[in-house]
């Protein structure tokens, strides 16, 4: 008896020049078999189990009753046990999905190697060496395969809607393909495509771009970018939202998020206008829905061919589900706490109505949240002792503020589901890794951004629960490369604990999870941290659906940087070559089905009941190298510099 995934591992259908398809991978020693064992704790690390939790049912926007829920604690949602799938006589007996595979922890490097002779077997007859991988072991390692995508440069498309330097891009994509990269991610800018006027979509340049990606044998993750580019960390270009939308804002500035001091942020429309027909007769939700429907109609061939595997839906600034609380354009500097962004007239009226319905018409929006670069203790709202955030009024506000954000994300994802219904894609949403002040009792920076995350209140599980109803949409989390030891002590930061919490939230609630780095880096320590985030318990354990590396550049492709990156990709692939068939590593691309029923907000907020994060290993089991390797990198770099 042996354990197999419920999804049959079909042979690869395509291959890349210079790379073996996964159906022709070298074989592991057949003496090293995987022994099926029931799951149990073994007074240390449990036997590794790959599983996907069932989807929950789905967001009701009832205001008054809903907002009382967060004022009391609720029990955590149970995690349902998974089923085994047993293979008898070589034929899989299909049990209820999802697949479950149990293995003992190990790595590709643990397989013994036999020396090969170049002399004729007829002259020196010797037994044929065993294959490197046994069939079961190959399947086991494929179950630990994490696809790697690389974010394209922000300026790959000009503001005039032209593909920049197509030949140069082709050369770069060939380098990525040669490194075994699975695909690329690209922003599809609303401000470029619908820039000519309401309903006037121009897709020609993006069709050219997608054709280039397809010709180079890469897959594609497309971001529906409804935000402006140019106001966040790492933004090297300026791409505003459509001019005709900004003109509406010139007449009515309250269509934009607004700070307590009245400063407008034009990066993304306030969620207060989601249902306001202010944009030539359309609401903000309708603007987003029409754009996505037009994308589907004009990219149908690329969708049907399987080129596009993910549609990441932009839900706020930087494409992330959050408020624009820490914008560099408004003077923010790390590690400032930021500011609440709900002082436009539409959100202000919404809050007053909610407070009145809850029996407190006297409550107003907070005015003691401090300035954008304050510390928590500089403010009355976030002070650890007696801060407003601990009061009944403060908790009511934070519940309303976070609930409005979750409801917005749920509604836009529902429109995305309608737009791409039947397409073989997954939906995704990005959640920001706001790691500074995580170790302060108030989690001030997270609260300002709309994540009601405190000790005793999980701010990420309700988001994951909302995503899960949309076909298990992917929760893409940032800052996967960051380590606690690298952060300034005064920022009370903990990116490692935050990543553990956010990924665990997705796994518990039945949403797929993915991760990406927040800042470009090329060092081995950063890559090792990303590997740990992607497979926190090593090969055979939980893993993310994909990793996206930010971003493609000449610096990434240069010398030693690229050598380390190639190793990183190989390690993410669990030591295997590129696999062109996602079904073989447990991510079959099925037609998108209609979202499950909408979940009442009170059910979503029950997920705020805290649950411990799943345990992560101290370090990855597939390191790209440590201190000695970095010393060698330094020597190689010097040699390359000396000899040009």
């Amino acid at each position: 008896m042996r354990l197999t995934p419920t999804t049959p591992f079909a042979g690869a259908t395509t291959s890349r020049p210079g790379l073996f398809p996964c159906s022709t991978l070298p074989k592991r020693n057949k003496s090293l078999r995987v022994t099926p064992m029931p799951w149990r704790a073994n007074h240390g690390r449990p036997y590794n189990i790959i599983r996907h939790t069932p989807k929950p049912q789905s967001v009701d926007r009832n205001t008054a009753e809903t907002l009382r829920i967060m004022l009391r604690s609720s029990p955590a949602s149970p995690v349902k046990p998974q089923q085994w799938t047993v293979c008898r006589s070589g034929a899989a007996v299909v049990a209820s999905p999802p697949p479950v595979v149990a293995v003992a922890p190990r790595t590709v490097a643990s397989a013994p190697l036999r020396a090969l002779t170049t002399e004729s077997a007829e002259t020196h007859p010797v037994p044929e060496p065993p294959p490197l991988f046994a069939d079961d072991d190959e399947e086991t390692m494929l179950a630990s395969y994490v696809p790697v995508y690389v974010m394209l440069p922000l300026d790959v498309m000009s503001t005039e809607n032209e593909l920049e330097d197509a030949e140069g891009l082709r050369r770069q994509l060939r380098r990525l393909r040669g490194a075994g990269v699975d695909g690329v991610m690209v922003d599809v800018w609303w401000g470029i495509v619908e820039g000519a006027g309401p309903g006037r979509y121009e897709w020609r340049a993006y069709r050219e771009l997608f054709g280039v990606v397809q010709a180079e044998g890469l897959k594609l993750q497309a971001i529906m970018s409804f935000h402006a580019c140019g106001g966040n960390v790492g933004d090297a270009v300026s791409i505003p939202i459509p001019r005709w939308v900004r003109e509406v804002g010139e007449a009515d500035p309250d269509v934009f998020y607004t700070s307590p001091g009245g400063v407008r942020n034009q990066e993304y429309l306030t969620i207060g206008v989601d249902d306001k027909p202010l944009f030539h007769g359309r609401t903000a939700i309708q603007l987003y829905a029409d754009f996505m429907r037009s994308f589907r109609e004009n990219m149908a061939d690329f969708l049907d061919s399987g080129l596009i595997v993910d549609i990441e839906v932009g839900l706020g600034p930087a494409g992330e589900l959050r408020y624009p609380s820490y914008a560099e354009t408004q003077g923010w500097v790390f590690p400032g706490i930021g500011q609440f962004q709900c002082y436009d007239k539409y959100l202000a009226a919404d809050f007053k109505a909610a407070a009145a319905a809850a029996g407190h018409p006297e409550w107003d929006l907070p005015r003691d949240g401090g300035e954008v670069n304050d510390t928590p203790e500089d403010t009355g709202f976030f002070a650890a002792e007696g801060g407003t955030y601990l009061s009944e009024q403060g908790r009511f506000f934070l519940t309303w503020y976070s609930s409005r954000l979750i409801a917005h994300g749920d509604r836009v994802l529902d429109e995305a589901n309608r737009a791409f219904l039947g397409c073989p894609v997954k939906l995704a949403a990005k959640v920001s890794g706001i790691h500074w002040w995580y170790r302060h009792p108030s989690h001030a920076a997270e609260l300002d951004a709309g994540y009601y995350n405190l000790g005793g209140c999980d701010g990420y599980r309700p988001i994951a629960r909302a995503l899960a109803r949309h076909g298990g949409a992917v929760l893409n989390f940032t800052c996967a490369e960051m380590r606690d030891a690298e952060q300034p002590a005064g920022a009370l930061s903990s990116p490692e604990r935050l990543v553990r919490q956010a990924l665990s939230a997705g796994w518990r609630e039945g949403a797929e999870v993915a991760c990406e780095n927040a800042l470009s880096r090329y060092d081995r320590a950063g890559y090792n941290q990303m590997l740990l985030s992607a497979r926190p318990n090593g090969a055979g354990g939980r893993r993310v659906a994909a990793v996206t590396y930010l971003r493609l550049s000449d610096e990434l492709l240069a010398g030693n940087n690229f050598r380390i990156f190639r190793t990183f990709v190989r390690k993410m692939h669990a030591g295997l070559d590129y696999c062109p068939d996602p079904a073989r590593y447990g991510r079959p691309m099925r037609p998108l089905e209609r979202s499950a029923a909408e979940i009442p907000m009170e059910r979503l907020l029950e997920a705020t009941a805290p649950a411990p994060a799943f345990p992560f290993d101290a370090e990855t089991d597939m390191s790209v190298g440590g201190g000695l390797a970095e010393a060698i990198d330094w020597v190689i770099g010097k040699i390359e510099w000396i000899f040009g």
Side-chain angles (χ1 to χ4, degrees):
M1 181 186 297
R2 61 186 176 89
L3 299 174
T4 64
T6 55
T7 303
F9 286 118
T13 57
T14 60
S15 180
R16 293 186 184 167
L19 294 176
F20 293 106
C22 46
S23 60
T24 61
L25 294 170
K27 305 297 181 183
R28 184 178 288 189
N29 193 318
K30 290 183 179 293
S31 66
L32 300 173
R33 308 294 292 183
V34 179
T35 304
M37 305 186 73
W39 187 93
R40 64 180 177 84
N42 63 350
H43 306 290
R45 159 165 154 185
Y47 291 106
N48 295 316
I49 295 201
I50 298 174
R51 70 180 169 195
H52 300 273
T53 50
K55 304 174 190 174
Q57 303 293 313
S58 112
V59 180
D60 176 286
R61 285 169 294 282
N62 271 333
T63 308
E65 182 60 28
T66 292
L67 294 171
R68 294 191 182 97
I69 301 299
M70 287 281 289
L71 305 182
R72 61 179 183 269
S73 60
S74 302
S77 300
V79 179
K80 297 183 180 179
Q82 307 298 304
Q83 300 187 19
W84 296 93
T85 301
V86 180
C87 181
R88 297 183 177 89
S89 304
V93 179
V94 179
S96 301
V100 181
V101 180
V103 299
R106 60 176 303 165
T107 68
V108 173
S110 65
L113 300 177
R114 290 279 301 272
L116 302 179
T117 177
T118 58
E119 300 183 53
S120 168
E122 295 179 0
T123 307
H124 301 281
V126 293
E128 181 181 348
L132 181 61
F133 293 135
D135 290 341
D136 286 353
D137 284 347
E138 180 183 321
E139 292 186 359
T140 295
M141 298 315 293
L142 278 168
S144 296
Y145 182 108
V146 175
V148 178
Y149 293 81
V150 176
M151 188 74 171
L152 292 185
L154 289 169
D155 59 356
V156 68
M157 199 70 65
S158 75
T159 53
E160 288 74 35
N161 206 357
E162 297 289 341
L163 178 60
E164 297 275 28
D165 190 14
E167 267 315 307
L169 178 62
R170 286 189 182 93
R171 288 192 296 271
Q172 291 180 320
L173 295 182
R174 288 180 194 129
R175 300 280 309 277
L176 295 181
R177 182 191 63 193
V181 166
D182 296 82
V184 294
M185 176 182 274
V186 64
D187 287 286
V188 181
W189 295 106
W190 179 33
I192 290 177
V193 174
E194 200 179 355
R200 297 171 59 186
Y201 306 100
E202 178 51 71
W203 297 104
R204 175 184 49 79
Y206 276 101
R207 285 194 56 81
E208 181 184 358
L209 171 61
F210 292 3
V212 169
V213 173
Q214 187 175 51
E216 297 305 329
L218 294 164
K219 297 181 178 69
L220 187 69
Q221 297 173 317
I223 309 174
M224 303 291 100
S225 296
F226 298 117
H227 61 286
C229 178
N232 290 288
V233 177
D235 286 355
V237 298
S238 177
I239 303 173
I241 61 176
R243 174 64 192 167
W244 55 272
V245 175
R246 286 179 283 136
E247 288 173 349
V248 173
E250 290 172 3
D252 182 2
D254 285 282
V255 302
F256 298 118
Y257 283 118
T258 305
S259 73
V263 178
R264 314 289 184 177
N265 185 303
Q266 296 191 14
E267 187 179 353
Y268 190 84
L269 294 173
T270 172
I271 58 179
V273 298
D274 277 358
D275 292 316
K276 308 296 183 185
L278 304 173
F279 307 96
H280 299 265
R282 291 187 291 169
T283 67
I285 293 289
Q286 289 170 336
L287 296 179
Y288 309 142
D290 290 347
F291 182 88
M292 290 186 286
R293 280 194 291 268
S294 179
F295 179 92
R296 176 180 177 164
E297 292 167 1
N298 287 273
M299 302 297 179
D301 51 337
F302 294 123
L303 288 162
D304 293 341
S305 70
L307 170 70
I308 302 172
V309 293
D310 288 334
I311 300 292
E312 184 170 290
V313 184
L315 299 173
E320 299 166 339
L321 180 62
R322 64 174 175 87
Y323 294 93
S325 57
Y326 56 99
E328 286 189 326
T329 54
Q330 297 183 6
W332 174 82
V333 177
F334 177 86
I337 60 173
Q339 286 185 306
F340 294 123
Q341 298 289 317
C342 54
Y343 296 84
D344 61 86
K345 67 183 181 183
Y346 299 106
L347 281 178
D350 188 279
F351 175 77
K352 287 298 290 183
H360 291 281
E362 74 280 7
W363 283 351
D364 289 317
L365 293 171
R367 292 292 173 180
D368 57 350
E371 299 299 323
V372 68
N373 288 316
D374 280 346
T375 70
E377 297 303 324
D378 293 331
T379 75
F381 194 93
F382 299 112
E385 296 293 332
T388 305
Y389 79 96
L390 297 169
S391 68
E392 182 184 7
Q393 181 176 348
R395 288 184 291 136
F396 181 88
F397 164 75
L398 291 170
T399 302
W400 169 84
Y401 191 63
S402 59
S403 298
R404 291 291 283 113
L405 188 68
I406 295 171
H408 167 75
D410 183 71
R411 292 188 63 194
V412 180
L413 282 170
D414 194 68
E415 293 296 338
N417 176 271
R418 294 175 187 274
F420 296 103
L421 195 63
C423 296
V425 298
K426 291 286 290 187
L427 298 181
K430 187 183 297 186
V431 176
S432 183
I434 301 177
H435 54 88
W436 53 105
W437 304 114
Y438 184 87
R439 292 188 292 116
H440 188 274
S442 71
H443 291 239
E446 292 169 90
L447 298 191
D448 273 329
Y451 305 140
Y452 193 178
N453 191 51
L454 298 170
C457 180
D458 192 322
Y460 300 100
R461 281 182 59 204
I463 296 173
R465 184 171 290 187
L467 293 181
R469 86 168 180 103
H470 302 289
V474 180
L475 189 162
N476 187 13
F477 200 73
T478 65
C479 79
E481 86 287 7
M482 293 184 175
R483 299 184 300 168
D484 290 0
E486 299 169 341
Q487 308 305 315
L492 296 182
S493 174
S494 185
E496 293 180 48
R497 287 170 56 190
L498 175 60
V499 168
R500 285 198 294 271
Q501 180 188 353
L503 298 189
S504 296
W507 284 320
R508 287 188 187 281
E509 294 298 332
E512 289 196 56
V513 295
C515 61
E516 63 183 46
N517 52 310
L519 302 173
S520 293
R521 55 190 296 177
Y522 313 101
D523 61 296
R524 294 177 187 270
Y527 286 132
N528 284 337
Q529 189 63 37
M530 290 186 73
L531 283 158
L532 178 59
S533 298
R535 278 194 305 266
N537 304 119
R542 291 184 182 87
R543 57 169 175 163
V544 299
V547 162
T548 302
Y549 176 82
L550 272 66
R551 67 181 64 241
L552 179 60
S553 66
D554 291 337
E555 191 173 3
L556 171 65
L557 301 177
N560 201 53
N561 286 348
F562 195 54
R563 282 191 290 272
I564 302 172
F565 178 74
R566 284 200 306 263
T567 303
F568 166 71
V569 173
R570 180 83 176 186
K571 297 292 187 178
M572 276 293 178
H573 289 172
L576 305 178
D577 288 325
Y578 163 76
C579 181
D581 182 6
R584 294 207 61 206
Y585 51 82
R587 201 169 187 254
M589 302 309 298
R590 300 188 179 96
L592 186 63
E593 298 180 355
R594 187 71 185 97
S595 297
E598 188 174 358
I599 306 175
M601 183 60 73
E602 61 185 23
R603 281 278 297 114
L604 288 179
L605 296 184
E606 287 175 3
T608 59
F614 292 118
F616 277 38
D617 293 347
E619 58 185 33
T620 178
D621 65 339
M622 289 195 177
S623 170
V624 299
L628 177 59
E630 289 179 344
I632 295 172
D633 294 340
W634 183 86
V635 172
I636 293 174
K638 287 297 183 182
I639 293 172
E640 289 179 338
W641 179 79
I642 292 171
F643 292 99

